[in-house]
Amino acid sequence: MPFAEALQAEYAWLHRHPELSFEEHAATAHLKAELEALGARILGTGLETGLVAELRGGRPGPTLALRADLDALPIAEDPSHTLRSEAEGRMHACGHDFHAAALLGAAALLAQRKAELAGRVLLVFQPGEESGRGALRVLATGALEGASAIFGLHLLPGLAPGAVGLTEGANFAAIGRFSIELQGRGCHAAQPHAGADCVLAAARLAESLQSVVSRNVDPMHPAVVSVTRIQAGNTWNVLPGAALLEGTTRCFSASDDALIARRVQEICQGVAAACGVRARLTWPTRHPATDNAPALIARARAAAGAEGIPCVPAAPTLLGEDFAFYQQKLPGAFLTFGLNSAPLHHPAFAADPAALEPAARLLARLALLPWGAD
Ligand code: NI
């Protein structure tokens, strides 16, 4: 089967079998078999889902990690898709099926060209990216010890179709997911003086949190604080004694991230005190912004040039990526790949299977280029 067709078949299999974060058992088993057939060695990481495979080149050299992600989203796919998810209510709406198929394609190309390859390539098929914790699980296995660089690739609608987006420094934001539990005292709605109203406190809190970006963060720095969920009460004539708020924060620098977290905490405590309720703030997920090493961006530009793939500068986005955790441990570059599609995480999002071959060639070339030339 021609290479492009084989890649599209792999992609189609992954697309039809979407699995949520840390449930990627079928994809892991499928990829493991394919990689072993290519002669790659599966490392004993102890990961329940996801895997790290190794290809050794014919010559000595550094260790390079190439990372793809595996998980899908709890989104019902738009029926207009020609290639359909076979799992009710789940779909690959972030293109992770494309990323994994492209990395498998790169592994096939590298396996054919082992003699040219200097050093080792670690093929990281990461679980649980959407949870914000998958990269940490891979790092905790120690499988990346000794790697000197890491690359990742993500589809990005809005970027020129077929082009590689390159950004030095941060291109994906630091993100926080926050949860605020309010505890007051329920009472009859006709006797508000007898309770401590959590609905009023939740409303004030959602409104007050908007001042973090408008009054605390430097207006020249991009940042977001969004309250996305408020839950309280279950009828019309009772003031509830508890409420739950959830939301997300986004920014690009560690100092802004710390400032936002501090102000969210202070506003929680201040509003709670003013309303006579208690607030408990937790952060189920927080990760830093990506930080792309200029030397690796130069290597990506050279690799794209060698494969005839256009490069464009890519503006930073307030989307988040847990790839940032790898970059805290070793130099890395997170590349984007343009396409015409509905946005990421949208039911109508659709990758372009024709772009798999150039994406695979780009990833393979990142490993094959001579080191030291950049
Ligand atoms: Ni994604």
Side-chain angles (χ1 to χ4, degrees):
M1 193 189 289
F3 182 58
E5 272 178 45
L7 271 183
Q8 290 178 21
E10 291 296 346
Y11 164 74
W13 190 92
L14 291 163
H15 189 83
R16 288 200 308 268
H17 301 95
E19 297 167 297
L20 301 182
S21 299
F22 303 119
E23 296 174 4
E24 307 94 332
H25 295 282
T28 301
H30 179 85
L31 290 164
K32 186 167 177 262
E34 298 290 319
L35 288 160
E36 282 176 338
L38 293 172
R41 186 169 79 90
I42 310 296
L43 301 187
T45 57
L47 288 171
E48 283 180 32
T49 59
L51 63 90
V52 182
E54 177 199 65
L55 278 171
R56 280 185 181 272
R59 295 182 290 126
T63 297
L64 175 70
L66 299 174
R67 175 270 206 174
D69 39 16
L70 288 182
D71 50 337
L73 287 156
I75 296 175
E77 194 168 47
D78 190 289
S80 67
H81 280 237
T82 43
L83 179 64
R84 293 295 307 274
S85 160
E86 292 177 8
E88 186 72 28
R90 299 201 295 267
M91 73 171 287
H92 272 291
C94 202
H96 298 186
D97 47 356
F98 180 100
H99 308 156
L103 184 56
L104 185 62
L109 293 170
L110 291 169
Q112 287 166 11
R113 299 174 68 174
K114 264 187 181 178
E116 290 171 57
L117 180 65
R120 296 193 307 156
V121 177
L122 296 175
L123 305 150
V124 180
F125 291 88
Q126 181 202 302
E129 193 285 322
E130 300 292 353
S131 77
R133 300 189 306 277
L136 290 176
R137 287 208 192 176
V138 172
L139 285 165
T141 67
L144 300 194
E145 297 294 331
S148 51
I150 184 165
F151 284 97
L153 179 78
H154 205 295
L155 291 177
L156 191 60
L159 196 69
V164 181
L166 301 178
T167 316
E168 292 186 1
N171 57 342
F172 280 62
I175 79 167
R177 170 185 169 182
F178 63 82
S179 174
I180 303 165
E181 291 171 53
L182 296 178
Q183 194 65 48
R185 206 165 57 253
C187 62
H188 196 297
Q191 297 165 325
H193 60 288
D197 181 4
C198 282
V199 168
L200 183 62
R204 283 187 179 170
L205 195 47
E207 191 270 338
S208 298
L209 287 171
Q210 292 310 306
S211 70
V212 176
V213 171
S214 71
R215 290 298 175 269
N216 301 132
V217 177
D218 182 331
M220 301 304 284
H221 297 187
V224 166
V225 174
S226 290
V227 174
T228 56
R229 178 182 179 200
I230 300 181
Q231 199 169 302
N234 58 5
T235 189
W236 67 279
N237 56 1
V238 178
L239 286 172
L244 175 70
L245 292 88
E246 279 194 306
T248 184
T249 63
R250 311 279 164 134
C251 63
F252 284 109
S253 72
S255 58
D256 282 345
D257 192 44
L259 168 69
I260 290 169
R262 178 171 64 78
R263 288 300 294 150
V264 169
Q265 171 69 16
E266 288 169 354
I267 289 169
C268 276
Q269 297 315 319
V271 169
C275 295
V277 303
R278 288 196 307 278
R280 193 173 83 89
L281 168 70
T282 52
W283 296 88
T285 305
R286 271 183 89 183
H287 66 64
T290 56
D291 183 12
N292 298 321
L296 295 179
I297 291 295
R299 186 175 180 84
R301 187 177 287 111
E307 294 295 341
I309 301 169
C311 293
V312 290
T317 151
L318 284 156
L319 301 171
E321 243 299 333
D322 76 355
F323 188 82
F325 282 124
Y326 298 111
Q327 294 174 311
Q328 290 194 319
K329 302 286 180 195
L330 70 161
F334 197 59
L335 315 176
T336 48
F337 203 85
L339 77 162
N340 262 329
S341 165
L344 297 170
H345 293 209
H346 189 282
F349 173 81
D352 176 10
L356 282 162
E357 184 177 356
R361 291 193 182 285
L362 172 69
L363 291 169
R365 185 68 74 161
L366 288 169
L368 290 166
L369 278 183
W371 288 94
D374 48 10

